[in-house]
Each structure stands twice: as structure tokens, then as C-alpha cells.
């Protein structure tokens, strides 16, 4: 635990951007970073909260219509909302983790012209495993704190969030057709400016795969015991993926290497 306290102190005030496709685990990595004291700024959560709080406003009607179909909300709606959060005292004092923003080149340009980002974490998850987690894993989310669950990482009590006791539900936009649309938009509009981001900030890759069929040295596997589960690859082979705890450890190790 002393290590964790040192890590918290080392990353206090840092500004971290999470980058990756829908379903790559941005929400859960944000939870892990929040546990270290950073403020979580999530465009999806902020938008869903706005729609819930003011369902009749023009902005909410426009946004919810687009979100239901897995389309992007226009830049002139999302940019001011996110920039306002980021410029607030809480984010400036504690640092923040930005999740789901930027998603377009225009959003990225505004962000990098107005904020210094300490580093970008790219959550690199192969397509097959994204769909596997969301659809076959039956992805669910806590309505109150947005912690993500699936059949691989279920809540201890069905439909109740481990973290805050909130209700755990399936998102309306987590059906195969809409996800495919969200993934296509990611490929077209979001992934394409990653090289541009890499020219402005330090990008680190955080893989979810431990290894494919290849033999893993026993000591390593023992170390990972209980942190991996197996899934099928596109070729019908087997891969080992890190679960929530395994990914948290991998993230904390990376941060420790970087900042301590
Ligand atoms: P996911 O990453 O799982 O697709 P989010 O919760 O981040 O989901 O976003 C949900 C929806 O909110 C998106 O499908 C989109 O309609 C809207 N949205 C979120 N962030 C942005 C953004 N930066 N720009 C435009 N639309 C956004
Ligand atoms: Zn919760």
C-alpha cells in the first residue's frame, strides 16, 4: 500500500488522455486513475448526465437523438462542455483523466492548443475482442458511477455496482448494429488523428493481450494467476486477455515506471 501512496503522490496534478475504440476499457482505466486521485472527465458521462438533467432542452434532444444511433454529437456542443470541466479548479488542482474526448481532429486541435497533456495512453484492443467484450460478454454499466462490467468481470451481486451500490444496466447503444457504427466512426474520424496527437504528446500503448498461443514462461503466468481469461482469436486460436485487476496492475506498473 505504501507503493500506492507513492504512486498517488507522483501522478498528482497530471493530465492524462485515454485514447482507444468503444469498448476498449477507457471507463475502467479511468476508475483506476480516479482511485489515484485524478478527476475523471468523460464526454459520454457528461452528455448522458446533461440529457438526463434537462431532457427537454434543445441541446439534449439533439444529443440524445445522435447518441441513440451511435453518431457523434457536433463539436460545437461537446467542445465547450469538456473545456469548461477541464478548466475548473478541481481538474487544475488534482489533474485529470480525459475519456472519450477528443474524437475528431477539430476537437483535438482545440484541446492541444489550450491544454498541456502529460501523456496519452492508447488502449490497443483488437477488434474481435472489442465486440467479444461488449456483445458476447454482455457489457453493462453502473448508471451512477459508470463502472463497466461484463460476464468476464461481473458485479459481485447481479445488477448492483460493487463500487457504489448503483444500478447496473445494459446501455441502449450497446447493440451490435449501433456498435458497428460507433466502431466505423472511430476508424474514420478518431483513429486517423492519432499520429497527429503523437507529434504533440507522449503516447504509451497499454495492450490488453498477454500472449497468443505461444508458450508463456511459467513464472510469468503464476504471477498473473487470476488476472487473465482466455478468448478465441479470429483464427480460432486462443489468446490470454487481462481482466480488470490484471489491467489495473499493468497500468499502475506503467505509471510507476514513468513517474516514480
Ligand atoms: P463509447 O466510448 O463506449 O462509444 P461514450 O460513453 O464515450 O461511449 O459515448 C457515447 C456517445 O456519446 C457516443 O456514441 C457519441 O454519440 C457521444 N459522444 C461522446 N463523446 C463524444 C465526442 N468527443 N464527440 C462527439 N460525440 C461524443
Ligand atoms: Zn457504481
Amino acid at each position: 500500500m505504501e507503493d500506492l501512496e507513492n504512486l498517488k503522490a507522483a501522478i498528482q496534478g497530471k493530465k492524462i488522455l485515454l485514447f482507444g475504440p468503444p469498448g476498449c476499457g477507457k471507463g475502467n482505466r479511468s476508475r483506476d486513475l480516479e482511485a489515484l486521485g485524478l478527476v475523471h472527465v468523460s464526454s459520454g458521462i457528461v452528455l448522458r448526465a446533461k440529457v438526463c438533467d434537462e431532457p427537454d432542452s434543445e441541446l439534449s434532444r439533439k444529443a440524445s437523438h445522435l447518441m441513440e444511433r451511435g453518431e457523434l454529437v457536433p463539436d460545437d456542443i461537446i467542445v465547450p462542455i469538456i473545456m469548461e470541466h477541464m478548466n475548473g479548479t478541481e481538474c487544475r488542482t488534482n489533474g485529470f483523466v480525459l475519456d472519450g474526448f477528443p474524437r475528431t481532429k477539430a476537437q483535438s486541435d482545440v484541446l492541444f492548443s489550450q491544454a498541456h497533456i502529460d501523456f496519452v495512453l492508447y488502449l490497443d484492443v483488437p477488434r474481435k475482442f472489442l465486440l467479444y467484450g461488449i456483445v458476447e460478454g454482455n457489457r453493462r454499466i453502473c448508471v451512477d458511477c459508470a463502472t463497466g462490467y461484463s460476464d468476464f468481470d461481473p458485479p459481485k451481486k447481479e445488477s448492483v455496482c460493487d463500487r457504489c451500490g448503483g444500478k447496473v444496466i445494459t446501455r441502449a447503444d450497446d447493440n451490435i448494429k449501433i456498435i458497428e457504427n460507433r466502431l466505423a466512426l472511430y476508424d474514420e474520424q478518431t483513429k486517423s488523428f492519432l499520429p497527429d496527437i503523437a507529434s504533440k504528446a507522449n503516447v504509451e500503448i497499454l495492450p490488453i493481450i498477454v500472449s497468443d498461443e505461444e508458450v508463456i514462461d511459467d513464472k510469468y503466468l503464476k504471477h498473473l494467476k487470476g488476472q487473465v481469461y482466455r478468448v478465441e482469436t479470429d483464427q480460432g486460436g486462443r489468446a490470454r486477455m487481462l481482466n480488470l485487476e490484471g489491467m489495473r496492475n499493468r497500468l499502475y506498473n506503467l505509471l510507476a515506471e514513468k513517474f516514480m
Side-chain angles (χ1 to χ4, degrees):
M1 274 302 108
E2 193 193 318
D3 276 359
L4 201 62
E5 288 308 312
N6 291 338
L7 183 57
K8 274 188 192 173
I11 76 156
Q12 214 243 326
K14 294 278 185 280
K15 301 177 171 81
I16 299 178
L17 168 60
L18 292 184
F19 196 90
C24 68
K26 292 193 291 289
N28 284 325
R29 295 304 73 71
S30 298
R31 289 283 86 67
D32 298 339
L33 289 164
E34 245 183 346
L36 299 177
L38 300 184
V39 180
H40 182 202
V41 181
S42 155
S43 52
I45 294 177
V46 168
L47 283 170
R48 281 190 287 272
K50 263 235 164 342
V51 169
C52 184
D53 292 347
E54 315 154 9
D56 296 324
S57 75
E58 202 194 320
L59 186 151
S60 294
R61 276 206 300 271
K62 202 164 161 186
S64 67
H65 180 66
L66 292 163
M67 289 165 77
E68 275 161 21
R69 293 184 312 176
E71 301 287 343
L72 292 183
V73 167
D75 292 339
D76 62 348
I77 290 187
I78 188 69
V79 171
I81 300 179
I82 294 296
M83 296 314 288
E84 191 192 317
H85 266 257
M86 266 178 39
N87 292 326
T89 324
E90 220 201 333
C91 281
R92 280 188 311 184
T93 319
N94 301 303
F96 59 78
V97 48
L98 196 50
D99 156 18
F101 183 95
R103 261 179 163 88
T104 63
K105 174 78 166 55
Q107 292 176 11
S108 174
D109 289 344
V110 175
L111 174 68
F112 283 94
S113 69
Q114 294 189 23
H116 171 80
I117 298 294
D118 289 292
F119 88 112
V120 179
L121 206 56
Y122 174 36
L123 305 178
D124 184 23
V125 181
R127 178 61 43 104
K128 159 94 188 181
F129 302 139
L130 293 172
L131 290 177
Y132 193 85
I134 301 177
V135 182
E136 292 175 55
N138 184 22
R139 175 163 91 159
R140 282 149 279 166
I141 188 173
C142 168
V143 285
D144 291 327
C145 77
T147 294
Y149 298 95
S150 74
D151 290 349
F152 312 119
D153 286 297
K156 291 194 179 74
K157 198 169 158 221
E158 191 52 42
S159 305
V160 181
C161 177
D162 292 349
R163 183 165 174 261
C164 78
K167 196 169 161 204
V168 174
I169 56 138
T170 302
R171 270 171 54 174
D173 57 352
D174 270 356
N175 72 61
I176 185 84
K177 253 191 115 131
I178 293 170
I179 293 164
E180 274 173 355
N181 194 30
R182 281 154 57 206
L183 288 172
L185 280 178
Y186 172 77
D187 285 342
E188 286 158 22
Q189 306 214 27
T190 306
K191 199 179 176 180
S192 49
F193 65 81
L194 183 61
D196 183 64
I197 287 188
S199 72
K200 293 173 180 155
N202 177 7
V203 177
E204 295 277 349
I205 297 177
L206 192 72
I208 194 167
I209 302 291
V210 177
S211 161
D212 279 354
E213 203 51 311
E214 81 204 49
V215 185
I216 304 183
D217 114 43
D218 259 354
K219 231 170 40 205
Y220 188 50
L221 263 191
K222 218 172 266 164
H223 168 71
L224 290 173
K225 200 161 181 278
Q227 297 184 17
V228 283
Y229 57 89
R230 285 164 168 273
V231 288
E232 267 189 27
T233 65
D234 283 334
Q235 288 76 34
R238 309 287 284 172
R240 297 176 178 91
M241 264 165 86
L242 288 168
N243 67 10
L244 280 182
E245 193 194 342
M247 282 301 282
R248 181 182 309 129
N249 291 336
R250 180 171 267 180
L251 171 62
Y252 286 3
N253 286 337
L254 186 146
L255 292 172
E257 265 171 37
K258 236 181 141 53
F259 295 115
M260 285 172 67

